[in-house]
């Protein structure tokens, strides 16, 4: 299927690895020029070079922490006007409800709620002016079904979801869509690190921790960054203009709900 977005420009945040990288690869395959971002320059430059070589698109790589004001300013300056924005950042650490201080909440809100909101506020006006734009926010299945040890994530992402629900309807008349993608467990560094935490806490091997988590997923496997990226590219395509303010769950059936 031709996604109809060849030649468009996309800013994909937190995209040297994992789900952000999957989104960047799929957009590049559709002919979209990219601005990639991550904190560590080495892996970021490698990702940029690999994507250029594989897809022949223009890739600008900006090493910066997207959750800081200075980092966002640097990335947005380099990006200029974009047609597509994919927001993403690392997730907050796990813990117990008794662990988290006000400062922990402020850090999580900054990273996983206020950062995507600031990025949207910066990019939406130009999209509205040109009468076309696509925003995809990477959130989490925890928005639909809480993950108790990820209370910081549950809270921050719920706040972002509420913001998107209203804002998506305000920008839709201008040909701009905003949707959220909700990953369940995907085979990325983040999943390995969470498996490592479970293994340590329960005194089991990493393989055993993974096998236990896979058994909780009806698809009996973790998702891949490639299939996640394919959905992102579709949501950014010409075909997805009528999909507005939705929360698309990619979880192998893990959330046990009818709707
Ligand atoms: P990942 O494999 O750890 O990749 C994270 C990517 O983001 C890396 O490129 C990393 O590069 C970059 N990054 C992290 N923090 C950043 C920051 N502050 N500024 C700029 N770049 C940053 O993570 P992932 O599994 O793809 O997860 C992506 C998001 O989805 C996270 O918010 C995670 O909580 C959420 N999620 C993931 C899963 C899952 O199973 N994987 C499930 C639910 C939700 P640097 O380290 O060099 O910055």
């Amino acid at each position: 299927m031709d996604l109809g977005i060849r030649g468009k420009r996309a800013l994909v945040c937190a995209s040297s690895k994992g789900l952000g990288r999957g989104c960047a690869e799929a957009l590049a395959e559709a002919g979209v020029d990219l601005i990639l971002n991550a904190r560590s320059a080495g892996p970021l430059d490698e990702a940029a070079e690999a994507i250029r070589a594989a897809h022949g698109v223009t890739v600008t790589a900006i090493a910066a922490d997207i959750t800081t004001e200075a980092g966002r300013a640097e990335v947005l300056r380099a990006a200029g006007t974009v047609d597509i924005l994919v927001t993403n950042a690392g997730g907050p650490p796990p813990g117990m409800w008794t662990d988290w201080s006000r400062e922990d909440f402020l850090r999580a809100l900054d990273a996983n709620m206020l950062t995507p909101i600031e990025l949207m506020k910066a990019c939406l006006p130009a999209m509205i002016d040109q009468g076309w734009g696509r925003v995809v926010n990477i959130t989490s299945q925890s928005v639909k079904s809480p993950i108790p040890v990820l209370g910081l994530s549950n809270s921050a992402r719920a706040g972002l979801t509420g913001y998107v629900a209203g804002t998506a309807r305000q920008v839709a008349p201008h040909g701009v869509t905003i949707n959220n993608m909700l990953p369940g467990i995907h085979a990325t560094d983040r999943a390995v690190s969470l498996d490592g935490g479970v293994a340590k806490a329960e005194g089991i091997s990493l393989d055993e921790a993974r096998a236990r988590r896979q058994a909780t997923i009806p698809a009996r496997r973790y998702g891949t960054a490639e299939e996640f990226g394919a959905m992102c590219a579709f949501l950014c395509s010409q075909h997805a203009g009528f999909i507005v303010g939705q929360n698309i769950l990619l979880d192998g059936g893990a959330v046990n709900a009818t709707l």
Side-chain angles (χ1 to χ4, degrees):
M1 182 191 287
D2 179 1
L3 296 184
I5 48 177
R6 183 166 298 281
K8 300 240 182 241
R9 278 167 61 78
L11 166 56
V12 186
C13 302
S15 51
S16 65
K17 297 181 187 170
L19 303 180
R21 170 78 178 266
C23 295
E25 293 273 0
L27 288 168
E29 195 180 336
V32 174
D33 294 325
L34 299 174
I35 297 92
L36 296 190
N37 153 256
R39 291 164 302 181
S40 315
L44 178 64
D45 289 340
E46 281 170 31
E49 193 41 51
I51 291 174
R52 275 184 212 109
H55 306 292
V57 294
T58 303
V59 183
T60 306
I62 306 294
D65 184 340
I66 200 68
T67 68
T68 65
E69 206 174 327
R72 279 191 299 278
E74 198 183 337
V75 169
L76 288 167
R77 208 170 24 250
T81 299
V82 295
D83 309 288
I84 295 168
L85 166 67
V86 180
T87 77
N88 186 29
M96 270 294 286
W97 64 272
T98 44
D99 296 340
W100 301 313
S101 64
R102 175 177 166 77
E103 284 63 40
D104 294 325
F105 274 103
L106 291 177
R107 256 193 304 278
L109 292 175
D110 243 340
N112 298 111
M113 177 184 170
L114 299 174
T115 287
I117 289 175
E118 287 300 319
L119 290 164
M120 281 186 267
K121 283 172 67 184
C123 295
L124 284 169
M127 294 181 187
I128 289 169
D129 283 351
Q130 68 183 13
W132 196 95
R134 298 282 185 265
V135 178
V136 172
N137 300 294
I138 300 180
T139 67
S140 172
Q141 86 175 28
S142 70
V143 168
K144 287 224 185 238
S145 171
I147 302 170
V149 295
L150 292 179
L152 294 171
S153 170
N154 299 340
S155 307
R157 297 186 198 280
L160 174 63
T161 305
Y163 174 86
V164 166
T167 308
R169 280 140 179 114
Q170 289 177 313
V171 302
H174 306 283
V176 178
T177 71
I178 312 178
N179 293 287
N180 302 322
M181 290 180 65
L182 285 50
I185 303 172
H186 282 69
T188 67
D189 290 357
R190 163 92 172 162
V192 173
S193 135
L194 289 175
D195 286 342
V198 171
K200 200 170 156 204
E202 300 190 12
I204 56 175
S205 69
L206 194 61
D207 283 349
E208 177 60 21
R210 185 180 306 118
R212 284 191 196 175
R213 285 219 293 167
Q214 281 178 343
T216 67
I217 305 172
R220 297 288 185 266
R221 66 174 177 87
Y222 289 180
T224 69
E226 290 74 21
E227 56 200 352
F228 192 87
M231 172 56 85
C232 176
F234 181 77
L235 286 174
C236 296
S237 76
Q238 297 294 358
H239 311 295
F242 209 50
I243 303 177
V244 169
Q246 297 302 300
N247 291 283
I248 313 284
L249 186 61
L250 296 94
D251 71 339
V255 172
N256 190 33
T258 304
L259 285 177

